[in-house]
Amino acid sequence: MILPKSKIALLASVFISAASGHIHADSFQRISTWSTANNLPASIAIETETSAEIITASPDGETLIYSDSPLGGIGFIDIKNENAPQALGFLKLDGEPTSVAASNKYILAGVNTSKNFTSPSGKLVTVSLKKPTIVGSCDLGGQPDSVAVSKDNQYVAIAIENERDEDLNDGLLPQLPAGNLVIIPLKEGKPTCESKILVNLNGLADIGPTDPEPEFVDFNSNNEIVLTLQENNHIIVIRARDGKILNQFSAGSVDLNNIDIEEERALTFDGQQKNRKREPDAVKWIDTNRFITANEGDYEGGSRGFTIFSKYGEVLFDSGLDLEYRIAQAGHYPEKRSGNKGVEPEGLEVANFNGSTYLFVLAERANVIGVYKDTGGKPEFVQLLPAGIAPEGAIAIPTRNLLAVANEKDLIEDNGPRSHVMLYKLSDTKPSYPHIESVKDGNRPIGWGALSGLVSDDKKSGILYAVNDSFYKSQPTIFTIDTNQNPAKIIKATPVTNDGLPAKKLDMEGITTDGNGGFWVASEGNTKKSVPHAIYHVSKKGAIKQKISFPQELLKHEIRFGAEGITRIGNTLWMAIQRPWKNDPKNTTKLVSYNTETKQWGAVHYPLETIKKGWVGLSEINAYGEYVYVLERDNQVAGNAKIKRLYRVKQNALLNSDLSSNLPLVKKELVYDFIPKLESFNGYTTEKLEGFTFDKKGNAFAVTDNDGVDDNSGETIFLRLKNIQ
């Protein structure tokens, strides 16, 4: 597209004026997390699935309102005290709410009432903010998706998607009836249904021209509407007062190089996708001339980043792989989505805080938010925010320096965290997350996740080693961590190999040094898959030198849960067995020893704490001074988490142990309760506190396992602890 000189001059002025703004050194900090289960009516079982998807705020910024599709209504949250949000109740709607937006007096909710894909229907429901009751409804003639209210409260726009059946003809377009855009004037914030405008979108896109599927809608301050057609890879700009189409253009495509495209349980970043359609989902105006798209993609695309367009169709900036790489370096890359769309940027928010315009990009599958500052040209990266599981919608409240994010996924059936709303506040501090991140190896990130065992270098202070577990079964790795930097840096990844090939059947749960520059690794077995419980001697270059299987005296009592940690005391290796085996007395497990010189095995019993729900087991062991330190944890998350603790046992209690039938029971001493520390990050308490060690100077470190971002927030909590010996 060739632009008139007047428009080129206008674009240039936008770049200059935006770039001249003052750059602040502020960042956002998570201040609270609130579960949607708190809004379940008393008549509904607490185990019922619930969800926060699209979220908005009342004009005074003191109430949040979110759509809850599984429960079929909208929820309300009191955030007068942003540090302690309170439940305000739930309002049932007749249908499936797809989006919510706030006018000056009302909440406007798009509600899907479709019986099937070929007979779409829906309505716009008006809810009083003063008292959450339904006060009106407009028939929309189709299935609504996104809803937006103009900044002057004069109009509401609804994207009527009429979504396709993805199981029909591989989801290919066209699948009629076609979608459209509905614009309804507002009177004192309430829709005037009889004055609605239907905007016909047929014949505009090159892809599926007879079947436009509008996805997301937003207003600028001139009451111009930007609308994405995700499946059609198209963008349309429309005038609100009469529905006139002002401009329309393809979202275009990009070439992606050095990306992970195989779901082989390894992070390689060596693939390519040529001519990859952007297929944008969310779109938000930055000012009256520019908008940003989150290029989530659908069945034919997804460019894994975000793009800034002019309203005339020019690509002013494309993020390329900047966001995806930053996410990978923070350990949030969702490897199980590599064959699809990677980190899948889906949601957006744009807001001005203290004179600076911030761009918030929600990566749904990576469970993180990329925060950038608008400069008029290339956005300035600010930080990554941990965002629970499946961040779907966000609303900024600049008058209170707040950002609220709705996390869609509810894992109640899998004993996981509930759907959450998280609050962040802008403050004059440095970013506090991530706690640990990798550097690049050349022009690609060192991919990592699912950290398990932890050990310190024998000679270098502040240098640690960690292993990943079997989530990355095709890429077992020893990571070198430099804690002398903040955040801690993963500076090297050493593949663990067997005869020069990745040792794919390892489930590395513990690591210790061998005193000569190499390592001993504990691998947890899986009896159902004929994978043995074993320990491995590994060279400093990662090559397996020796495999030592557990003796039959132990294996005849084995279960799936084996060695979760390993440490070395002189010539003896000690391993923590996670849970009781068949011959262990109730509420005990074993600490198992192997002498590398005499080849003798031994064991002692270790007493476990008890809880009413779930189980308790061990996840790490580390020898330091005259004690052996043990991590003991339950398998619970969030408010159900009770035991994430560090205990210690005197080393002399481990002497002269063998595999006799009468194993001694050691005494343990509580050293540290991690739950208050984990709660201090204002998210939900994660399940797997997996690694612990002391460095050469006696500094203590601990790390959580993020399960490879698979039904997990992806957060890796890396702790530096003082005075806990």
Side-chain angles (χ1 to χ4, degrees):
M1 177 182 292
I2 299 176
L3 301 180
K5 291 183 178 178
S6 60
K7 291 183 178 179
I8 294 175
L10 175 60
L11 290 174
S13 69
V14 169
F15 274 75
I16 294 170
S17 61
S20 62
H22 178 66
I23 302 298
H24 296 273
D26 300 334
S27 70
F28 290 83
Q29 308 290 336
R30 185 170 56 193
I31 58 171
S32 58
T33 293
W34 183 90
S35 170
T36 56
N38 294 325
N39 254 347
L40 281 168
S43 59
I44 298 178
I46 193 66
E47 296 83 9
T48 303
E49 181 184 2
T50 181
S51 177
E53 296 171 86
I54 304 302
I55 192 165
T56 191
S58 59
D60 63 8
E62 294 186 349
T63 303
L64 296 175
I65 306 95
Y66 60 89
S67 62
D68 187 332
S69 174
L71 209 56
I74 55 177
F76 299 80
I77 311 170
D78 180 351
I79 58 166
K80 292 185 183 71
N81 179 356
E82 65 263 31
N83 297 300
Q86 300 295 315
L88 277 180
F90 180 82
L91 179 65
K92 188 77 173 176
L93 302 177
D94 184 18
E96 175 199 7
T98 58
S99 185
V100 289
S103 68
N104 51 0
K105 295 181 180 180
Y106 303 96
I107 298 301
L108 307 179
V111 179
N112 177 20
T113 59
S114 303
K115 295 181 179 179
N116 51 53
F117 290 106
T118 58
S119 301
S121 63
K123 57 188 176 181
L124 183 71
V125 175
T126 304
V127 176
S128 171
L129 257 175
K130 186 175 182 180
K131 184 179 181 181
T133 54
I134 297 173
V135 296
S137 178
C138 298
D139 179 67
L140 295 173
Q143 173 247 320
D145 196 338
S146 170
V147 176
V149 172
S150 63
K151 293 173 174 54
D152 60 4
N153 285 287
Q154 294 298 305
Y155 301 96
V156 59
I158 308 100
I160 306 299
E161 183 177 12
N162 291 347
E163 64 183 352
R164 72 194 191 285
D165 182 353
E166 295 186 15
D167 295 325
L168 177 64
N169 194 27
D170 293 327
L172 295 177
L173 302 179
Q175 289 187 25
L176 302 181
N180 55 52
L181 178 70
V182 173
I183 306 170
I184 305 177
L186 300 177
K187 184 176 182 180
E188 296 183 351
K190 191 174 182 180
T192 57
C193 303
E194 67 278 5
S195 301
K196 69 181 178 183
I197 301 169
L198 267 63
V199 181
N200 186 346
L201 307 172
N202 286 353
L204 300 179
D206 292 332
I207 299 170
T210 62
D211 184 17
E213 292 199 17
E215 187 73 28
F216 208 95
V217 63
D218 193 41
F219 284 90
N220 67 12
S221 58
N222 288 343
N223 282 341
E224 294 169 332
I225 298 167
V226 62
L227 175 70
T228 57
L229 312 182
Q230 184 173 21
E231 288 81 1
N232 310 86
N233 198 40
H234 211 71
I235 299 171
I236 305 173
V237 180
I238 302 156
R239 189 164 61 200
R241 74 168 184 265
D242 55 10
K244 180 181 178 180
I245 294 175
L246 301 176
N247 207 351
Q248 51 91 17
F249 45 87
S250 170
S253 62
V254 296
D255 291 338
L256 299 175
N257 297 306
N258 295 330
I259 58 173
D260 193 346
I261 59 175
E262 299 291 335
E263 295 172 16
E264 80 282 43
R265 301 293 187 94
L267 299 174
T268 56
F269 303 103
D270 58 1
Q272 293 183 334
Q273 289 175 336
K274 297 294 184 182
N275 197 32
R276 186 74 168 175
K277 297 179 182 70
R278 289 190 172 97
E279 291 186 350
D281 188 324
V283 61
K284 287 282 185 176
W285 289 96
I286 299 173
D287 51 38
T288 56
N289 297 290
R290 299 175 299 145
F291 54 81
I292 178 175
T293 62
N295 304 324
E296 179 202 20
D298 204 271
Y299 63 106
E300 287 188 345
S303 65
R304 305 182 178 220
F306 61 91
T307 306
I308 297 175
F309 292 90
S310 79
K311 65 181 179 182
Y312 311 112
E314 273 200 336
V315 174
L316 304 178
F317 173 79
D318 190 276
S319 67
L321 295 173
D322 182 75
L323 178 60
E324 178 146 296
Y325 278 12
R326 291 184 187 276
I327 288 171
Q329 288 177 257
H332 275 263
Y333 182 83
E335 206 283 322
K336 280 194 171 182
R337 300 299 296 178
S338 289
N340 295 283
K341 299 159 283 185
V343 298
E344 298 190 30
E346 180 177 11
L348 288 171
E349 177 63 311
V350 175
N352 189 285
F353 289 82
N354 302 329
S356 294
T357 298
Y358 289 87
L359 315 174
F360 303 92
V361 185
L362 282 62
E364 178 191 19
R365 302 290 182 169
N367 305 330
V368 73
I369 301 167
V371 183
Y372 291 79
K373 194 175 293 185
D374 178 41
T375 66
K378 178 182 178 180
E380 173 194 347
F381 175 75
V382 177
Q383 65 187 125
L384 293 177
L385 293 174
I389 300 181
E392 180 77 10
I395 185 71
I397 310 174
T399 55
R400 300 183 62 190
N401 282 333
L402 294 178
L403 174 74
V405 175
N407 305 304
E408 178 183 16
K409 203 157 190 178
D410 191 324
L411 294 174
I412 180 64
E413 290 186 358
D414 297 318
N415 195 39
R418 306 303 302 263
S419 174
H420 283 84
V421 170
M422 292 185 171
L423 282 173
Y424 309 82
K425 190 163 190 174
L426 183 64
S427 61
D428 188 18
T429 57
K430 295 180 180 179
S432 59
Y433 190 86
H435 308 146
I436 180 171
E437 62 184 6
S438 67
V439 300
K440 285 186 177 180
D441 182 6
N443 61 351
R444 305 176 195 176
I446 293 177
W448 63 278
L451 298 185
S452 188
L454 201 63
V455 71
S456 64
D457 189 88
D458 291 330
K459 298 179 181 179
K460 301 174 184 176
S461 296
I463 300 298
L464 311 181
Y465 303 97
V467 290
N468 56 9
D469 64 23
S470 61
F471 182 88
Y472 299 101
K473 61 184 180 182
S474 298
Q475 195 180 42
T477 304
I478 297 172
F479 298 99
T480 304
I481 304 170
D482 183 358
T483 69
N484 297 305
Q485 305 181 59
N486 194 10
K489 299 286 187 181
I490 295 176
I491 58 175
K492 184 180 180 182
T494 303
V496 178
T497 59
N498 195 0
D499 294 330
L501 299 175
K504 292 187 177 182
K505 287 195 174 182
L506 290 186
D507 182 8
M508 299 189 297
E509 295 287 356
I511 183 172
T512 191
T513 58
D514 68 357
N516 297 302
F519 305 95
W520 287 97
V521 170
S523 178
E524 185 175 29
N526 189 332
T527 55
K528 292 182 180 180
K529 296 182 179 180
S530 300
V531 178
H533 297 288
I535 52 181
Y536 294 83
H537 196 191
V538 180
S539 74
K540 63 180 179 182
K541 293 184 178 180
I544 292 177
K545 299 163 60 177
Q546 182 184 12
K547 172 187 173 182
I548 301 173
S549 298
F550 279 34
Q552 188 57 35
E553 293 170 274
L554 288 173
L555 293 180
K556 65 184 179 182
H557 304 294
E558 71 176 327
I559 62 169
R560 173 184 170 304
F561 302 94
E564 281 280 320
I566 187 169
T567 192
R568 181 174 57 87
I569 304 174
N571 296 319
T572 301
L573 302 173
W574 279 92
M575 288 141 283
I577 304 301
Q578 185 183 66
R579 294 174 62 182
W581 283 8
K582 296 174 185 176
N583 65 329
D584 292 323
K586 187 176 181 180
N587 301 324
T588 71
T589 186
K590 294 186 185 75
L591 304 181
V592 172
S593 67
Y594 174 75
N595 189 295
T596 58
E597 283 195 350
T598 66
K599 317 300 182 187
Q600 295 298 307
W601 289 83
V604 297
H605 275 132
Y606 175 95
L608 293 170
E609 299 300 299
T610 59
I611 54 174
K612 293 182 179 179
K613 180 180 179 181
W615 53 260
V616 177
L618 306 184
S619 57
E620 179 67 290
I621 184 170
N622 184 265
Y624 184 79
E626 60 185 272
Y627 293 95
V628 167
Y629 293 81
V630 178
L631 281 184
E632 188 172 342
R633 67 168 180 88
D634 58 25
N635 67 332
Q636 302 298 298
V637 302
N640 291 326
K642 306 299 180 186
I643 298 174
K644 317 289 182 189
R645 300 175 186 170
L646 181 70
Y647 289 94
R648 67 183 184 183
V649 174
K650 287 187 176 181
Q651 287 190 24
N652 59 18
L654 307 179
L655 298 177
N656 302 318
S657 62
D658 56 27
L659 292 181
S660 67
S661 58
N662 297 312
L663 300 180
L665 179 67
V666 299
K667 293 182 179 180
K668 65 182 184 182
E669 176 185 357
L670 178 64
V671 178
Y672 190 78
D673 183 355
F674 284 91
I675 285 183
K677 186 66 176 178
L678 295 172
E679 290 178 342
S680 72
F681 298 109
N682 298 319
Y684 66 84
T685 301
T686 57
E687 176 193 351
K688 295 183 178 180
L689 184 65
E690 293 266 315
F692 177 83
T693 193
F694 290 99
D695 74 356
K696 191 171 181 293
K697 289 185 176 180
N699 301 308
F701 302 89
V703 69
T704 61
D705 175 357
N706 74 358
D707 276 337
V709 205
D710 182 26
D711 283 344
N712 187 292
S713 69
E715 292 185 43
T716 295
I717 307 299
F718 185 81
L719 300 174
R720 304 164 188 258
L721 304 167
K722 296 181 179 180
N723 303 319
I724 67 165
Q725 298 177 29

